[in-house]
Amino acid sequence: MSEHRRKMPPQQPPTGGRAAARRAAQQPMGRRSAPAHDVGTGAPSASYGPPSSYGEEQRPYGGRAEARRAAQRGSRRRGADSGPGGPGGGRRGGGGGGGRGSGPGRGAGGRPPGKKRFIDYPRHDKYGWRRWMPSWKLVTGTFLFFAASLMGAATIAYSQVEIPKEADTAKSQNNIYYWADGSRMVATGSGTNRQIVPFAGIPKSMQNAVISAENKTFWEDSGVDPMGIARAVWNMAKGGETQGGSTITQQYVKNNRLDDQSQTITRKVKELFISMKVGNEVGKDQVMAGYLNTSYYGRGAYGIQAAARAYFNKDVGDLNASESALLAAVLKGATYYDPAGYPEIDPRATAEANTTRATERWKWILDEMQKDGHISAAERAKYTTFPKVRKPNQSANLSGQIGYLVKTANANIKAQFGISVQELERGGYEIYTTFQKRKVEALEDSVQKIIKDNIDPKKRPDDDTHVQFGGASVDTATGKIVALYGGVDATKHFTNNADATGAMVGSTFKPFVLAASMKYGVRDPKLGPVQDASTRTIVDPDKSRYAGKDGQIVRKYNGEIWTNEKGEEWRQSNDEHASYPSITLRRAMVRSANSPYVQLGMDIGIDKVRETAVDAGLLESSLVQGEVPSFSLGISSPSAIRMAGAYATFANKGEQNDPYSVERVKKEGVVIKKHEAKTKNPFSPAIASNVTDVLRSVVDEDEGTGKKARIPGRPVAGKTGTTDDNLSAWFVGYTAQLSTAIDMYRYDDDDTKKNREFLEMYNTGGQEKIHGSSFPSRIWQDYMTEAVKDMPVVDFPEPEKLEGAEPVFGGVPSPTPTPTATPTPTESATPSTTPPATPTTSAPAKPTRTPKPGKTTCDIFDWECNNPGGTGGSTGEPTTTAPTSESPTPTGTPTDTSGGGNGKPGGAWVP
């Protein structure tokens, strides 16, 4: 190899050195086409190859490989100088990575992907969550688009809607009621009670009353209230309480122009557009007259003329501002604002409650009329007394028991099917009831016999006036109400006595206490008040014994003396002051002893007794809400219908069905509603059969209070009931197929009197005192003998064994077992300082007691001898108990200053 090939002559480095080469390598290909120049001369730099042509990169000294290596070294330095980035990029986010200069989906140079669209969403120039945040332009545009669409749709709908003609529902129609056998019972009148009055015949006071109460802007508005409609739609959409139209125009449209009376969004929208068109095309005078002539005022009255007659017995033109204000108040809802009340529809709609509500609204409307300038202050000052309202007038074809049957059916339609009273009053329904004509007539005849033979207001004006009877008969297997007695005549006595009247049920409530003792049992006196089944003891009605002394002190389940909120004790007395030192629960039921069942209720827990009564079929709203001992003695006031239904649960082997009176409802020949059975099983057949067996003894045994209810050749179970001060008397009983409740009381139903109350029944009917065993038992026996005569004789099932039932001793000592041999004392390894609870002697020993004054010894069942009132329930373990801090001996009690009351029948506060 020649010398010149082995040793190259020294070459000058390219102009600019390595830095220039690196800068050249970093430049894009298109920008490196110009040749490099010498810094000093501006001549091209020397290189091995010929000068590059235009557009070709000028290679630095060292050739292409040297340039490539220089470019690679520059790229590595840029990566070292940058922060963490995405794949292929340095810290500064070069390339396609995810650094600060880049973002998701960025291309070379960090440019955002995509192009801007007409609707820029997701946003093209934003990244991360900002891409999904709409711009203010997009929000505004969307809102304007939908607003314009809505307005366009509304304009189209308004242009196409037509004002309908008078609706068929505004015309007269009847309701027809049928007996259980399908024969016609009654048609409710000759059509809807309505008489059209022209606008000129409606007094200004009536117009102004409804305007002040419902729509102050009536004469100026367009017929709709957008805010009111929105509020109604929102409430319905979220499942809340439905609301009607908020303007008089909307109410007029609903009453007179729409057949569909449902509270739905579709109907509301339809009502809105029709109301808008009516507001623009129909005169306000016509709207006002149409509204007042088609509105429902209760009492079967549609229209202002019918209402004026129904409430004040005068023509509409004679109404003054006060009377107009009351009718405007009734428009809010006759069920709750008619002073006569609708308790058969809703227990809250009593005459007293409705009068209070109507009075408050009547005053408010008059005040608003003064504020609006419709009446002067001087005229407002004249109306300080609530206007006198006449009693509801019944049609002649609703006389006798028919009116009570129709009321009961209407109430059941509302409760069972949700059809309102107002819808019923519009008519057009065929209503098929469960009432059996022969049984209804038989029950009425049985009551009238007693009234005719025994009740004489002329002979005994102080004792035989205002005497009332009520009754109901229920099929035990289904809950069908087959008969009821609501009073002497529905057109004269308006309260349905078969429904809730306020009469306390007395001792007919005791079977629920007995059932609770078999279902839940008594509590362990050593544990807290809330106990489950594991610590309770199921009660055997024949082996258990309770103290039944007259004047027995009531105790808590743990033996402590019960006191009221004033610290006063209560001594429970028995009827006729009979005393039973020790008595089984069966015998206590037969003799209707109060003390044992009061104490039994305390041992079980009043909450469990209440729960048992509700499970049997009583309404919780009819029960006294308190934990007083006398709750177990029937200080509550369920209806005769519910009492018959609850006893039917025991007859039906523990299966419960709510009483009902309507089988099906038709409209235009099509069944629209039908009864659906919802049977519950609150009690086992063992509990039901044992309760029935005890109640049979009440009727079958000669000492039983219900012996007058016997039906020859047919098994009967039942219970009498009499309340404190002889204010009401009951008999409730059943055969295997039919359960019937009869009650009697005195109550002045003159609603013009204030502070009305039940009256005592001493000497009523010529009897010293009215018991459930007197007139109520006799009516029950006479009616039931006729009612079941065509039914097969069915015996009650034999009482089944109560699982886990044990003898319980409440207020009496447990019997001490007699040892068969003298026990041999056993020495204990550890001496005990506590004496044994049971003496281990060779003969049975009575508990040590201190005799009462005048006695030298204590009887074995005289548990009050040294411990007045005895103790709570015991499960049969023989014990001797001395007073302790858990069972204190009373040292004195305050004197009663309350004067008694519903919570204390048959007893007295300890003086």
Side-chain angles (χ1 to χ4, degrees), residues 34 65 123 254 261 340 463 471 481 541 567 582 617 679 728 751 788 792 816 852 862:
R123 299 171 71 179
K254 182 181 73 172
Q261 294 297 313
D463 304 315
I481 306 172
S582 172
T679 303
S728 61
D751 55 12
V788 302
T816 305
K852 288 184 178 180
D862 192 2

Side-chain angles (χ1 to χ4, degrees), residues 599-616:
Q599 189 59 58
L600 178 62
M602 297 299 290
D603 294 345
I604 300 167
I606 299 301
D607 59 329
K608 295 300 183 184
V609 176
R610 179 182 290 105
E611 186 175 339
T612 301
V614 172
D615 287 343

Side-chain angles (χ1 to χ4, degrees), residues 150-174:
L150 185 62
M151 292 178 64
T155 302
I156 295 173
Y158 179 84
S159 64
Q160 293 183 348
V161 74
E162 295 181 359
I163 300 176
K165 297 179 180 180
E166 182 181 12
D168 291 337
T169 53
K171 300 177 182 178
S172 298
Q173 296 184 72
N174 295 331

Side-chain angles (χ1 to χ4, degrees), residues 447-456:
V447 175
Q448 291 302 320
K449 288 178 186 177
I450 291 295
I451 294 175
K452 182 179 179 181
D453 296 341
N454 301 277
I455 308 301
D456 191 345

Side-chain angles (χ1 to χ4, degrees), residues 301-639:
Y302 276 87
I304 188 61
Q305 173 62 22
R309 282 290 176 187
Y311 284 85
F312 305 112
N313 196 27
K314 60 171 62 174
D315 291 328
V316 61
D318 298 327
L319 294 175
N320 59 34
S322 175
E323 294 162 340
S324 297
L326 176 57
L327 293 182
V330 170
L331 283 174
K332 187 172 178 63
T335 301
Y336 300 102
Y337 288 88
D338 181 350
Y342 289 84
E344 68 276 6
I345 302 299
D346 190 330
R348 298 171 296 175
T350 62
E352 291 79 7
N354 278 18
T355 300
T356 299
R357 279 189 287 263
T359 301
E360 291 175 355
R361 187 160 178 82
W362 166 77
K363 290 180 179 179
W364 176 79
I365 292 175
L366 286 174
D367 292 339
E368 291 299 305
M369 292 176 71
Q370 180 187 345
K371 291 179 183 178
D372 297 337
H374 299 314
I375 59 174
S376 64
E379 186 178 3
R380 173 64 185 92
K382 293 192 305 182
Y383 303 127
T384 57
T385 304
F386 190 72
K388 185 177 181 180
V389 178
R390 67 182 301 198
K391 290 184 177 181
N393 186 28
Q394 294 280 7
S395 302
N397 59 348
L398 296 179
S399 61
Q401 299 304 305
I402 299 299
Y404 302 123
L405 300 178
V406 169
K407 277 188 174 183
T408 302
N410 288 348
N412 189 235
I413 288 172
K414 180 177 183 294
Q416 187 178 188
F417 303 133
I419 300 175
S420 69
V421 178
Q422 184 171 352
E423 290 175 294
L424 278 175
E425 292 288 354
R426 291 182 183 276
Y429 295 96
E430 295 177 82
I431 299 159
Y432 292 81
T433 74
T434 61
F435 302 124
Q436 298 178 19
K437 185 176 182 180
R438 185 178 67 83
K439 288 183 172 63
V440 171
E441 292 174 346
L443 182 53
E444 184 177 22
D445 289 343
S446 297
V447 175
Q448 291 302 320
K449 288 178 186 177
I450 291 295
I451 294 175
K452 182 179 179 181
D453 296 341
N454 301 277
I455 308 301
D456 191 345
K458 294 182 179 179
K459 184 178 180 180
R460 291 178 293 272
D462 295 335
D463 304 315
D464 284 13
T465 54
H466 309 302
V467 174
Q468 301 290 340
F469 292 92
S473 196
V474 173
D475 182 87
T476 58
T478 62
K480 295 179 182 179
I481 306 172
V482 298
L484 58 79
Y485 180 84
V488 292
D489 191 326
T491 63
K492 299 175 183 178
H493 174 73
F494 304 108
T495 301
N496 184 358
N497 294 347
D499 210 332
T501 62
M504 293 186 293
V505 297
S507 291
T508 57
F509 197 82
K510 289 175 183 173
F512 305 122
V513 184
L514 181 64
S517 74
M518 298 176 182
K519 181 176 181 178
Y520 298 107
V522 297
R523 292 172 287 184
D524 187 337
K526 299 177 183 178
L527 302 179
V530 180
Q531 300 182 23
D532 58 22
S534 64
T535 59
R536 290 175 173 266
T537 303
I538 303 300
V539 176
D540 186 306
D542 292 306
K543 297 179 181 178
S544 302
R545 304 186 76 90
Y546 266 74
K549 283 194 164 187
D550 186 55
Q552 184 93 5
I553 290 181
V554 178
R555 293 177 176 269
K556 300 178 182 179
Y557 80 99
N558 60 4
E560 296 178 3
I561 295 175
W562 180 88
T563 59
N564 65 8
E565 64 278 2
K566 298 179 182 179
E568 299 167 328
E569 300 172 5
W570 178 250
R571 286 186 179 272
Q572 183 59 55
S573 64
N574 296 317
D575 191 32
E576 304 297 340
H577 297 288
S579 192
Y580 313 95
S582 172
I583 190 171
T584 66
L585 295 176
R586 181 187 293 272
R587 300 253 62 77
M589 188 75 76
V590 170
R591 301 300 299 272
S592 200
N594 294 331
S595 300
Y597 277 91
V598 168
Q599 189 59 58
L600 178 62
M602 297 299 290
D603 294 345
I604 300 167
I606 299 301
D607 59 329
K608 295 300 183 184
V609 176
R610 179 182 290 105
E611 186 175 339
T612 301
V614 172
D615 287 343
L618 299 187
L619 295 176
E620 188 170 5
S621 60
S622 69
L623 303 179
V624 170
Q625 299 302 308
E627 305 300 312
V628 294
S630 51
F631 179 84
S632 299
L633 296 184
I635 61 174
S636 300
S637 52
S639 67

Side-chain angles (χ1 to χ4, degrees), residues 752-796:
T752 62
K753 296 181 179 180
K754 294 183 178 181
N755 301 321
R756 292 175 294 161
E757 57 186 21
F758 287 88
L759 307 174
E760 295 177 348
M761 293 192 294
Y762 297 107
N763 300 318
T764 298
Q767 297 194 5
E768 181 180 353
K769 184 179 180 181
I770 299 297
H771 295 83
S773 60
S774 56
F775 296 143
S777 292
R778 290 166 57 185
I779 293 172
W780 190 95
Q781 195 275 342
D782 186 68
Y783 160 71
M784 286 290 285
T785 299
E786 174 67 22
V788 302
K789 69 178 184 180
D790 295 331
M791 296 180 180
V793 176
V794 178
D795 202 353
F796 293 118

Side-chain angles (χ1 to χ4, degrees), residues 814-820 838 843-845 876-878:
S814 307
T816 305
T818 303
T820 56
T838 304
E877 292 298 324

